Amino acid sequence: AQLKADDFDWKAIFAEGVRWFHSGGIFAALSDTTPEVIVAGMKAAKAAGAVVSFDLNYRAKLWNIRGGHEHGVKTLEPILQHVDVLVGNEEDLQMGLGIPGPEVEAKSALDPSAFVSMIGKVTKKQPNIKVVATTLREVHSTNRHGWSAVAWINGEVAQAPIRDLDVYDRVGGGDGFAAGLFYGLLQGASPDEAVRLGWAHGALLTTYPGDTTMASLDQVKALAKGGSARIQR
């Protein structure tokens, strides 16, 4: 929370060949200086030709400490102007960008229609954004979840399959999805393939304790192609 933008030698960092820069709304809400750190990093990333992503992760309790919802939207505005890839569900988009909620009512937690209906509002406010993505989760019980994901990528909507998961620890599934999606985009995968890679990695991560992945790339690719989430030995 005490970090400042000039605490980093951004030019030296990106001179090492960094291809992707990621940050999120929780870090942005920690103090008055953390948004400045994010913007400085994003500007340096853009100058170096790297992709910039941001996970809205809107947390009302954190923003209430900083000055409330209006302050949160005002703080996130200059950050979002530099973003290529945005991660967040309907509520994150509504609260983080200060835009109206979905005009379409989802039939279930796994129905992407409400999320997709908000993309036009997002890109109208921030036309620089090329990708908007989120996970879809329906909780049947503590350890049984329905799981899917959806992304709007350069005008194309791609949705992952719906699968019931035996969940060991739900924490980190969304971050796992983002990591897999980013990997796919970096590798030049199609929108459908990139979303499936994110979906598969997020699904596998929920089968491990904690929020650190233990999945191998081969396991992620196998599940993304329709294989089993069982551990490969």
Side-chain angles (χ1 to χ4, degrees):
Q2 298 180 30
L3 287 173
K4 297 179 181 179
D6 58 5
D7 286 341
F8 300 91
D9 186 342
W10 297 108
K11 187 174 182 180
I13 291 171
F14 285 96
E16 297 296 321
V18 175
R19 299 170 61 196
W20 196 290
F21 181 84
H22 180 71
S23 192
I26 292 177
F27 182 62
L30 291 183
S31 72
D32 291 333
T33 61
T34 50
E36 297 172 357
V37 175
I38 295 171
V39 171
M42 287 180 168
K43 287 182 176 179
K46 288 287 188 178
V51 178
V52 171
S53 61
F54 190 77
D55 189 336
L56 281 165
N57 257 335
Y58 190 89
R59 298 292 184 267
K61 290 183 179 179
L62 283 177
W63 287 113
N64 286 341
I65 295 172
R66 307 301 315 157
H69 177 234
E70 289 187 7
H71 177 73
V73 173
K74 184 178 179 180
T75 301
L76 292 173
E77 178 83 18
I79 293 174
L80 294 171
Q81 291 174 2
H82 302 286
V83 172
D84 300 306
V85 180
L86 184 65
V87 179
N89 60 27
E90 298 97 306
E91 183 179 1
D92 291 327
L93 298 175
Q94 182 179 353
M95 300 300 288
L97 278 76
I99 59 177
E103 298 174 359
V104 176
E105 185 176 349
K107 297 178 182 178
S108 74
L110 298 173
D111 177 7
S113 57
F115 173 81
V116 173
S117 73
M118 295 188 68
I119 301 301
K121 300 172 186 176
V122 173
T123 56
K124 182 178 181 180
K125 187 163 187 178
Q126 297 292 347
N128 49 287
I129 293 174
K130 304 175 182 67
V131 177
V132 189
T134 190
T135 56
L136 302 169
R137 186 196 302 254
E138 188 168 57
V139 179
H140 304 306
S141 67
T142 303
N143 300 109
R144 190 71 172 173
H145 296 179
W147 178 257
S148 186
V150 62
W152 176 88
I153 302 176
N154 293 318
E156 181 178 339
V157 176
Q159 183 180 3
I162 295 173
R163 172 171 289 200
D164 283 337
L165 301 179
D166 292 315
V167 175
Y168 184 88
D169 186 344
R170 67 169 288 162
V171 177
D175 290 336
F177 163 72
L181 173 71
F182 298 168
Y183 169 81
L185 294 174
L186 274 172
Q187 296 300 312
S190 69
D192 182 67
E193 291 170 335
V195 171
R196 279 175 168 266
L197 286 166
W199 166 83
H201 187 231
L204 287 168
L205 203 148
T206 66
T207 66
Y208 311 130
D211 59 358
T212 302
T213 186
M214 300 179 191
S216 69
L217 180 57
D218 286 342
Q219 288 173 333
V220 174
K221 287 183 175 180
L223 181 56
K225 292 179 180 178
S228 170
R230 295 179 63 185
I231 296 174
Q232 298 176 8
R233 303 186 187 278

